[in-house]
Amino acid sequence: IRGCSGPSDVSYRYEKVTRGDVTKTVSVTGTLDVLNSYRVMSKINGVVNRVGVDFNQAVGKGQLLATVDSTEIDQEMSRVLAQLERARLDLAGAKADIETKKDLFKENLISRKDLEQAELNYKKIAAQFRQFQVEYEIALRNKSYTRIVSPASGIIISMDIKPMDVVAVNKPLFVIVEDLKKMYLTINVDESDIGKIARGQQATFTVSAFPGSVFEGKIDQVRLNPITQQGIVVYQAIVICDNSEMKLKPGMTATATVVVGKRENVLRVHNEAFIVSPVEVKGDFNRQYVWKKRGSVVDDLPVKKIGVKTGLVGDVFTEIASDKIKVGDEILVRIEKKFKL
């Protein structure tokens, strides 16, 4: 920042025109979570009798995680199996009865009604046999549910099960993650900024656990569902981020910056140049001019008004286009009053 003597009661501050990048960002907060997680639920009611794994343990697909007591299911299987075997014998007897009565009917020793009654009896027993088959298959399936196995290879990040626990249908037992080296960050974007957010934009973020580390990611999805938080409408966007160093943990709160606009190697001036003026101007909004330092003071003003065309307005700099301004020119950015003692 350079100073220049103007009128005795004020001091003019300048910044030089430079060539470089102009970047516009949006600051947001969000929460980290894992990609491709599997929630293992109980499919039966029962009591846990064994747990064979622990937190953070790597498991393979199909690996046994825990078992549930199967005494009641075993009893049910024995009952249904006995019914099925009895129905199988009854079915064989009914079929033999039909064959016998067919022979008797040919010899005119029984009526057609007796033969039809035997065929009807066979159909009834066959229907009952099929019902017992279905019940047995259900019992077998329930028996398989007493063995809780991993649906995929990964790492156990959550457990809500221990021996002697009573479990019910749909009770969550384990959460297994395929890979912790990729995570996603759900960011909350204010409604005034959501129009600037798009898929593919770069994002950087920090977490309080590692204040000196900056993590990177890329926006993968912008969700349309509005969410109201403390009276403010926000929209969520998903950032896919790298966790190859395994520093990030599910549930961490992150402060993120999303690059929503960037222009490289352009002529630029400080944003302050568009809000300062050495003369009083009313109703001058969205102005397209700056005040350039003169070579000599004329009419008590050390600066002159230069019209410019602006491009991207960044966080610090604004992109400009003008043949009246070049790199190195000094542009007014601040006017400070001098205080006399």
Side-chain angles (χ1 to χ4, degrees), residues 44-45 69-86 131-143 146:
I44 57 172
N45 301 323
D69 180 68
S70 61
T71 301
E72 292 184 7
I73 294 175
D74 290 341
Q75 292 174 350
E76 177 69 9
M77 283 190 64
S78 297
R79 183 186 67 81
V80 175
L81 187 59
Q83 289 179 331
L84 186 62
E85 185 60 27
R86 186 166 57 250
Q131 179 184 346
F132 289 145
Q133 277 185 317
V134 171
E135 291 181 10
Y136 181 67
E137 289 170 359
I138 292 173
L140 279 177
R141 183 187 62 191
N142 288 339
K143 175 68 173 176
T146 64

Side-chain angles (χ1 to χ4, degrees), residues 200-205 215-219 239-242 257:
Q201 289 174 338
Q202 296 292 328
T204 58
F205 62 94
F215 303 91
E216 297 182 351
K218 184 179 291 187
I219 290 183
V239 179
I240 304 299
C241 47
D242 176 66
T257 300

Side-chain angles (χ1 to χ4, degrees), residues 283-295:
D284 192 9
F285 302 107
N286 300 318
R287 69 184 228 193
Q288 298 287 299
Y289 62 86
V290 295
W291 294 90
K292 177 182 174 182
K293 182 180 179 182
R294 296 177 184 271

Side-chain angles (χ1 to χ4, degrees), residues 18 29 41 102 111 129 152 155 168 174 188 237 246 254 273 290 300 326:
T18 58
T29 59
M41 319 281 281
K102 282 182 178 179
S111 66
F129 177 75
I155 299 173
F174 300 93
N188 299 313
M246 303 296 285
V290 295
D300 295 330
K326 64 183 183 299

Side-chain angles (χ1 to χ4, degrees), residues 184-199:
Y184 73 90
L185 173 65
T186 303
I187 58 175
N188 299 313
V189 184
D190 188 272
E191 61 178 321
S192 61
D193 292 324
I194 192 61
K196 306 168 188 172
I197 304 296
R199 183 178 183 184

Side-chain angles (χ1 to χ4, degrees), residues 108-143:
N108 292 321
L109 296 177
I110 62 171
S111 66
R112 176 175 290 279
K113 185 177 180 180
D114 290 335
L115 176 59
E116 290 174 350
Q117 184 62 42
E119 292 174 341
L120 180 61
N121 184 56
Y122 175 82
K123 290 179 180 179
K124 288 181 179 179
I125 295 174
Q128 192 175 41
F129 177 75
R130 288 193 294 271
Q131 179 184 346
F132 289 145
Q133 277 185 317
V134 171
E135 291 181 10
Y136 181 67
E137 289 170 359
I138 292 173
L140 279 177
R141 183 187 62 191
N142 288 339
K143 175 68 173 176

